[in-house]
Amino acid sequence: MPEYIEEFESDVLFKDELKEPRKYRVLLHNDDYTSMEFVIAILMQVFRKTEEESTEIMLKVHNDGVGVCGVYTAEVAETRVEMVRQLAQQAGFPLKCTIEEV
């Protein structure tokens, strides 16, 4: 193999390629208007949670003011936040959904 190819295949190059993507938590925030049933439906539909998991997260949101829906890469997290925003708006609820870096 020519020398210039060996130089190109440095450890630095491969370390950059193998870097784990950043992860983000998707959070639901409590409000006084969004129904518990709607939050459970969102968790099941958008985040693919079981009814039991959805109920548990909904109660966390209700009791603590915020609950974690899942941890995703940036694009997936942003897409799910937008889905929640659109579904809540269509249903007439002010449900707030945000992301934060893990």
Side-chain angles (χ1 to χ4, degrees):
M1 189 174 335
E3 242 178 75
Y4 63 88
I5 291 179
E6 287 176 20
E7 286 178 28
F8 181 73
E9 295 177 4
S10 70
D11 288 343
V12 173
L13 179 66
F14 289 116
K15 285 179 184 172
D16 286 345
E17 285 181 31
L18 299 175
K19 195 180 282 185
E20 276 289 313
R22 292 181 183 161
K23 297 287 186 163
Y24 296 84
R25 281 185 201 96
V26 177
L27 307 170
L28 281 181
H29 300 267
N30 191 41
D31 62 68
D32 293 333
Y33 303 101
T34 305
S35 71
M36 293 178 176
E37 293 80 13
F38 183 77
V39 173
I40 290 171
I42 286 289
L43 289 162
M44 292 175 71
Q45 182 179 345
V46 176
F47 298 97
R48 298 185 181 104
K49 302 294 184 187
T50 65
E51 189 171 355
E52 184 178 313
E53 291 170 321
S54 298
T55 301
E56 193 174 305
I57 295 168
M58 177 276 298
L59 288 171
K60 180 111 175 104
V61 172
H62 180 72
N63 294 325
D64 298 344
V66 67
V68 178
C69 304
V71 177
Y72 308 96
T73 59
E75 286 181 9
V76 173
E78 289 168 0
T79 299
R80 299 216 177 169
V81 167
E82 182 59 22
M83 290 171 69
V84 170
R85 189 194 66 74
Q86 288 180 10
L87 290 168
Q89 185 177 21
Q90 289 170 6
F93 290 118
L95 183 60
K96 182 178 177 186
C97 188
T98 61
I99 62 174
E100 71 177 16
E101 193 169 353
V102 174

